[in-house]
Amino acid sequence: MMQTEFSLDAVIQETAERNPVFQEGLDWQQTGHPAEAARAFKRAIDSGEESALLWTFYAWALSEAGDTHAAIAACRKAIALDAEWGVAWNDLGEYLMETGRVEEALFPIRRALRSRHFDRPHLAQMNLARYYLHTGSLKRARRAAEEAARLAPGFRPAQELARWIQERQEEWGLKD
């Protein structure tokens, strides 16, 4: 049996087509209303369709609305539903760093990079770069940012971060 390549965009589209409440959440999200998006995503979950996708979008909306601790819990629920759901692993790492739990973030970020249901490894590489910046390893942070730029050519945040790190290394005379 041939395994098809994972596409988050396709999963989002399929879910939005069959679940109007999820589509409502996307609409709120895309118009910059995270609290309303969170309520819609939670209603979609409460209606009986519990999926890693719904919990991940709920987590994102909670985080954007300022409730990062609840977003962490929602990511953990998504992971419990699908341990290969890389988006939730990556977001979990990001939210842990945002709450100051930097040391806990490395495992979920690395786990995202190994997940079968993840098609945005450049985002995990950026989180890895942020992690290494937090821990003071400029060399590793720069490598991760450069890898993010390689994986997603034209991804300006990665290019800018790699350049910024290189400039700091040169300015401070650091090899690492």
Side-chain angles (χ1 to χ4, degrees):
M1 184 165 123
M2 191 167 99
Q3 184 178 358
T4 60
E5 189 171 319
F6 176 77
S7 168
L8 179 60
D9 292 335
V11 175
I12 292 168
Q13 183 177 345
E14 290 166 12
T15 304
E17 287 172 0
R18 80 168 176 277
N19 188 328
V21 181
F22 176 70
Q23 180 61 61
E24 177 188 340
L26 290 176
D27 293 342
W28 284 118
Q29 173 195 25
Q30 293 169 355
T31 57
H33 296 89
E36 291 84 354
R39 285 192 286 277
F41 293 138
K42 185 64 167 92
R43 282 197 330 273
I45 291 166
D46 290 344
S47 72
E49 182 177 345
E50 197 172 33
S51 71
L53 175 74
L54 291 175
W55 279 100
T56 302
F57 271 79
Y58 180 51
W60 173 88
L62 289 168
S63 173
E64 288 296 307
D67 195 350
T68 311
H69 293 286
I72 290 169
C75 282
R76 292 186 191 282
K77 181 65 177 173
I79 291 163
L81 292 169
D82 182 352
E84 292 296 325
W85 193 252
V87 178
W89 283 110
N90 183 59
D91 291 356
L92 176 59
E94 183 175 332
Y95 303 151
L96 288 168
M97 284 191 288
E98 286 176 14
T99 59
R101 296 160 64 183
V102 176
E103 290 303 316
E104 294 176 55
L106 184 59
F107 176 81
I109 295 166
R110 285 188 172 160
R111 183 62 178 85
L113 289 167
R114 294 190 336 262
S115 297
R116 287 192 318 259
H117 303 147
F118 191 52
D119 62 356
R120 290 167 169 78
H122 63 288
L123 298 179
Q125 287 292 339
M126 282 295 287
N127 278 335
L128 196 56
R130 289 178 53 223
Y131 169 83
Y132 286 129
L133 281 175
H134 279 290
T135 62
S137 178
L138 292 180
K139 184 177 181 180
R140 285 180 171 179
R142 182 174 161 194
R143 272 198 314 253
E146 288 170 345
E147 179 63 7
R150 186 192 70 73
L151 290 168
F155 183 49
R156 293 178 55 111
Q159 296 165 346
E160 291 170 8
L161 181 59
R163 186 172 38 256
W164 181 87
I165 295 168
Q166 179 180 4
E167 290 169 358
R168 297 300 76 76
Q169 288 176 306
E170 292 169 0
E171 177 183 344
W172 301 331
L174 299 174
K175 300 279 188 247
D176 184 322

